[in-house]
Amino acid sequence: FKAIETEAAESVASCLSKEREKEILENRQYVKALLKTTSLLGRQGLAFRGHDEGESSANQGNFVETVHLLTEINPDLMKNS
């Protein structure tokens, strides 16, 4: 009985560990995309914000529009945002 109990505990712990590692990798990809966007806009000397960043605005600013573009290219990248 103890052997089964410890095996079950190890498998639960390993599953949690794997999920946590997956979450960390997803978060890193998300942050890398935001940092690359920030770096691009900074190097080009472009403004980050637009005049009107509301949901109904046709142009929400360079940063938000670039993030939307990245989301269209890779939907999994920004699923938590």
Side-chain angles (χ1 to χ4, degrees):
F1 179 73
K2 291 228 181 231
I4 293 172
E5 187 177 86
T6 56
E7 286 178 16
E10 288 175 357
S11 65
V12 170
S14 66
C15 288
L16 290 174
S17 177
K18 287 178 186 176
E19 286 298 316
R20 179 69 179 146
E21 288 176 17
K22 181 181 172 187
E23 183 179 346
I24 288 170
L25 290 175
E26 289 174 357
N27 288 342
R28 282 184 184 162
Q29 288 179 336
Y30 177 70
V31 170
K32 282 181 184 179
L34 295 178
L35 289 173
K36 286 184 179 190
T37 301
T38 302
S39 177
L40 173 70
L41 294 175
R43 282 193 317 263
Q44 297 297 322
L46 299 172
F48 282 62
R49 296 188 58 210
H51 178 69
D52 179 17
E53 293 182 345
E55 289 293 324
S56 61
S57 175
N59 184 1
Q60 295 180 331
N62 294 326
F63 185 78
V64 174
E65 292 293 334
T66 305
V67 170
H68 286 307
L69 177 65
L70 290 173
T71 304
E72 288 177 16
I73 293 170
N74 186 0
D76 293 334
L77 185 65
M78 303 293 178
K79 69 181 178 182
N80 294 330
S81 65

